[in-house]
Amino acid sequence: KAGVTQTPRYLIKTRGQQVTLSCSPISGHRSVSWYQQTPGQGLQFLFEYFSETQRNKGNFPGRFSGRQFSNSRSEMNVSTLELGDSALYLCASSPSSGNYGYTFGSGTRLTVV
Amino acid sequence: DAKTTQPTSMDCAEGRAANLPCNHSTISGNEYVYWYRQIHSQGPQYIIHGLKNNETNEMASLIITEDRKSSTLILPHATLRDTAVYYCIVRPAKSGSARQLTFGSGTQLTVLP
């Protein structure tokens, strides 16, 4: 079956702009999480959505937001981009409950100039 | 607030078993041990997880000590494609609680020809 799909794969934006990233989870998966990966901070949790509700949130400023649609697809938005937002943004999906491993997408590489 | 400790790097000869240790001395009774790996520029890949019994799947074996304070991931016959950063993560078992993955620095495993 198809894996986690993230679009776009690469993105270049200018400081001050906003950006929206998309994630399509594995069919049947209802939980979607987002992570940011930078060389300095490593992999950091942004937020998790389940059934269109944010279930958990990491320690990021309010410029970072997300949402989940009824088909479980998710988007994350970053407003007023800063140079430090340059990172690999990863989406992961898992079944609704239980102790499963997350399946990650290949990520969106965002560069802010 | 790291919950796991792993060596920064390890080497392994191709075809030999790779044994990756992880210390999680503060693990709680309801926390599972998960292992993921990340090959350069890709999203993390789930490998295996366990609570207190040893686990084996097609990718690896997980050995958890009786006191659950440490574990070892075993790749029985390492190949060059196993070169990656390996992350050991502890995660609450209960659905609905803060179950995000908290990644540390991981172990860079290099499989040598």
Side-chain angles (χ1 to χ4, degrees), chain A residues 90-102:
Chain A
L90 292 155
C91 167
S93 76
S94 72
S96 57
S97 62
N99 297 294
Y100 300 96
Y102 284 105

Side-chain angles (χ1 to χ4, degrees), chain A residues 22-41:
Chain A
S22 180
C23 172
S24 293
I26 289 174
S27 178
H29 284 193
R30 295 168 63 190
S31 170
V32 174
S33 300
W34 289 89
Y35 290 80
Q36 181 198 64
Q37 185 171 28
T38 60
Q41 300 297 320

Side-chain angles (χ1 to χ4, degrees), chain A residues 78-92:
Chain A
V78 187
S79 63
T80 320
L81 284 165
E82 302 177 358
L83 296 179
D85 297 333
S86 295
L88 179 66
Y89 290 88
L90 292 155
C91 167

Side-chain angles (χ1 to χ4, degrees), chain A residues 95-111:
Chain A
S96 57
S97 62
N99 297 294
Y100 300 96
Y102 284 105
T103 301
F104 282 81
S106 298
T108 293
R109 174 75 62 182
L110 172 66
T111 302

Side-chain angles (χ1 to χ4, degrees), chain A residues 35 37 43 45 55-56 88 90 96-102 104-106 109, chain B residues 32 34 36 38 41 43-44 46 49 87 91-93 95 98-101 103:
Chain A
Y35 290 80
Q37 185 171 28
L43 277 154
F45 171 74
R55 189 159 66 173
N56 201 5
L88 179 66
L90 292 155
S96 57
S97 62
N99 297 294
Y100 300 96
Y102 284 105
F104 282 81
S106 298
R109 174 75 62 182
Chain B
Y32 278 71
Y34 282 76
Y36 286 77
Q38 187 174 27
S41 296
Y46 164 78
H49 74 278
Y87 297 98
R91 181 177 182 231
S95 176
R99 302 177 73 232
Q100 70 268 26
L101 300 174
F103 289 86

Side-chain angles (χ1 to χ4, degrees), chain B residues 10-69:
Chain B
M10 294 180 63
D11 292 340
C12 175
E14 188 177 20
R16 304 297 291 267
N19 296 280
L20 292 95
C22 179
N23 180 288
H24 31 80
S25 58
T26 60
I27 192 170
S28 302
N30 70 339
E31 289 182 317
Y32 278 71
V33 179
Y34 282 76
W35 284 83
Y36 286 77
R37 72 179 182 184
Q38 187 174 27
I39 297 170
H40 184 63
S41 296
Q42 297 181 21
Q45 178 188 22
Y46 164 78
I47 301 172
I48 199 167
H49 74 278
L51 184 63
K52 56 183 177 181
N53 298 319
N54 297 338
E55 302 288 344
T56 296
N57 63 19
E58 65 278 3
M59 288 183 68
S61 294
L62 173 61
I63 309 297
I64 302 174
T65 59
E66 192 169 341
D67 63 8
R68 303 211 320 124
K69 292 185 177 182

